[in-house]
Amino acid sequence: MQAQLDQFGTLLLEWNQTHALSGVKNLSQAHAQIVDSVQVLEFIQPFKSCLDIGSGAGFPAIPLAIHCPHTHFILVEPNAKKIAFLHHVKVVLGLDNVILKRVRIQELPPVRVQLITSRALMSTRELIALSTPFLELGGYFLFYKGSSLDQEIVCLPKERFCYGKRVYFYRQKESACAF
């Protein structure tokens, strides 16, 4: 697992030189992003399927897919160079549990998952509105946010987790209604 995570960081740095996929400039920064992606495994419920919206350079989905090899991941990313990078990572790392979709979330065919993740894409309310149809009843939203979460949506203490500057929004879909 650690070898795959290290190789992911190396691939990201290599592709960043030409394609500017993320702000990661060295392996230390890549490692910090990987830790940020997977530390959620300390507090989230187990899941068998995940939809990552706006996957970009692969955070958080690729590190999560490496840590959870028996979980099915769908990565949604409309940007051609980012999806090309994700495809390369999938092949090189042998991530058979990852499916890539080069579409916007609004264009994704119907699918149901137990966990929906997203990082730095749009406001929490917008993410919930767009992704609710894809989340199974009893499933969870997991959004990697920052201090702006408090301005975006009212959340209960049990839905907000903080590690350093990172704030995670984690809410269960408890009814068929949208939030």
Side-chain angles (χ1 to χ4, degrees):
M1 179 184 331
Q2 189 58 49
Q4 282 182 302
L5 292 169
D6 291 343
Q7 191 171 13
F8 171 58
T10 300
L11 290 170
L12 178 58
L13 290 175
E14 288 172 4
W15 277 62
N16 253 352
Q17 291 177 6
T18 309
H19 302 289
L21 300 171
S22 80
V24 172
K25 305 245 185 291
N26 56 51
L27 282 176
S28 176
Q29 289 177 347
H31 177 73
Q33 297 298 329
I34 290 167
V35 169
D36 178 57
S37 296
V38 299
Q39 67 190 359
V40 298
L41 295 172
E42 296 175 15
F43 66 82
I44 67 173
Q45 296 295 313
F47 59 99
K48 294 284 185 200
S49 56
C50 177
L51 173 65
D52 184 55
I53 302 171
S55 298
F59 298 111
I62 295 296
L64 286 172
I66 291 168
H67 270 267
C68 305
H70 301 293
T71 300
H72 176 73
F73 287 84
I74 302 168
L75 282 61
V76 176
E77 174 56 56
N79 181 287
K81 69 180 177 181
K82 291 177 181 174
I83 206 78
F85 169 71
L86 293 171
H87 179 72
H88 181 70
V89 166
K90 175 185 169 159
V91 170
V92 170
L93 299 182
L95 297 176
D96 296 330
N97 60 332
V98 171
I99 293 174
L100 304 171
K101 299 285 185 178
R102 185 179 169 217
V103 296
R104 294 170 33 124
I105 188 65
Q106 298 90 329
E107 302 158 351
L108 185 67
V111 63
R112 292 282 187 174
V113 296
Q114 294 178 343
L115 180 69
I116 294 178
T117 58
S118 188
R119 181 176 158 196
L121 182 65
M122 61 183 69
S123 79
T124 303
R125 287 191 185 280
E126 289 175 284
L127 277 168
I128 289 172
L130 288 172
S131 63
T132 293
F134 302 102
L135 189 61
E136 291 179 4
L137 187 59
Y140 287 86
F141 299 99
L142 173 61
F143 302 147
Y144 293 63
K145 305 300 281 184
S147 59
S148 65
L149 177 63
D150 295 330
Q151 289 80 46
E152 293 179 14
I153 194 166
V154 175
C155 53
L156 301 171
K158 67 176 186 169
E159 299 173 330
R160 189 178 196 279
F161 295 84
C162 300
Y163 288 93
K165 293 182 181 181
R166 171 65 72 203
V167 178
Y168 300 94
F169 173 79
Y170 186 60
R171 176 177 287 178
Q172 185 173 27
K173 180 179 179 183
E174 296 174 338
S175 71
C177 302
F179 290 90

